[in-house]
Amino acid sequence: MQRIPWITIALGSLLLISVSSKGGQKVQPEESKPPVKTAQRGRILGIGGVFFKSANRDQMREWYSKHLGLADKGGGAMLPWREHDDPQKEHVTVWTVFPASTDYFPATQPFMVNYIVDDMDALLDRLKQEGVKIDAKRMNESYGHFAWIYDADGNKIELWQPVSAKP
């Protein structure tokens, strides 16, 4: 099993920092509620990856490896986890640092989150009906299917259906 890149952790840290502070003032987090359980297909199962940019990619990888144990030798650090409702299903969250010049996600966006989905087609159909902006590009790899959507602020979000996710 591959290890998850340190970028994923850094990105998660950035997300936590941005969520916990607003205008320099601490904001009390809302009470966390578990996702609504439904039999509906087209659900988010978890975070499949956290990607961020660095002008000093190699030094960042080295720093995260040395200090946090997130060794990324090019494929990202892999952090394994299991589904709460079905512990037999194992997934990974990929944490990786991209070069600052990457065009994998917009130049104006410092990081991107990848969500694991159980049924890409069902999710995209539902999002289209709900008026969500969906990128026309699709990518099929040996390890899964990818699509991209944009949130209300225009942030690009990656969706990933691993080959084993759909029954």
Side-chain angles (χ1 to χ4, degrees), residues 4-11 14 49-65 70-77 94-102 104-105 110-112:
I4 297 177
W6 56 268
I7 187 140
T8 301
I9 292 173
L11 191 47
L14 290 172
V50 180
F51 316 130
F52 70 96
K53 299 175 186 178
S54 173
N56 299 305
R57 183 181 185 194
D58 291 339
Q59 291 91 343
M60 288 291 277
R61 284 179 171 169
E62 186 176 315
W63 187 93
Y64 276 93
S65 179
L70 293 172
D72 176 1
K73 296 187 171 136
V94 179
W95 179 92
T96 194
V97 180
F98 280 78
S101 62
T102 187
Y104 193 70
F105 48 102
F111 64 88
M112 182 171 66

Side-chain angles (χ1 to χ4, degrees), residues 25-138:
Q25 298 177 353
K26 286 286 185 182
V27 175
Q28 292 295 333
E30 293 182 21
E31 189 171 321
S32 180
K33 297 177 185 169
V36 176
K37 294 180 184 177
T38 80
Q40 175 183 353
R41 298 291 298 167
R43 297 177 303 123
I44 299 294
L45 300 175
I47 296 177
V50 180
F51 316 130
F52 70 96
K53 299 175 186 178
S54 173
N56 299 305
R57 183 181 185 194
D58 291 339
Q59 291 91 343
M60 288 291 277
R61 284 179 171 169
E62 186 176 315
W63 187 93
Y64 276 93
S65 179
K66 178 180 178 180
H67 299 291
L68 300 179
L70 293 172
D72 176 1
K73 296 187 171 136
M78 304 296 169
L79 303 168
W81 54 275
R82 296 183 181 276
E83 287 186 30
H84 181 269
D85 294 335
D86 189 354
Q88 297 302 312
K89 290 185 180 174
E90 185 174 315
H91 297 280
V92 296
T93 298
V94 179
W95 179 92
T96 194
V97 180
F98 280 78
S101 62
T102 187
D103 61 359
Y104 193 70
F105 48 102
T108 57
Q109 192 172 322
F111 64 88
M112 182 171 66
V113 177
N114 164 299
Y115 293 101
I116 296 175
V117 303
D118 65 348
D119 187 329
M120 184 74 75
D121 294 333
L123 178 59
L124 291 174
D125 286 346
R126 189 180 85 242
L127 294 174
K128 182 178 180 181
Q129 291 174 4
E130 295 170 354
V132 172
K133 181 180 176 186
I134 300 171
D135 195 311
K137 180 181 176 185
R138 299 289 179 276

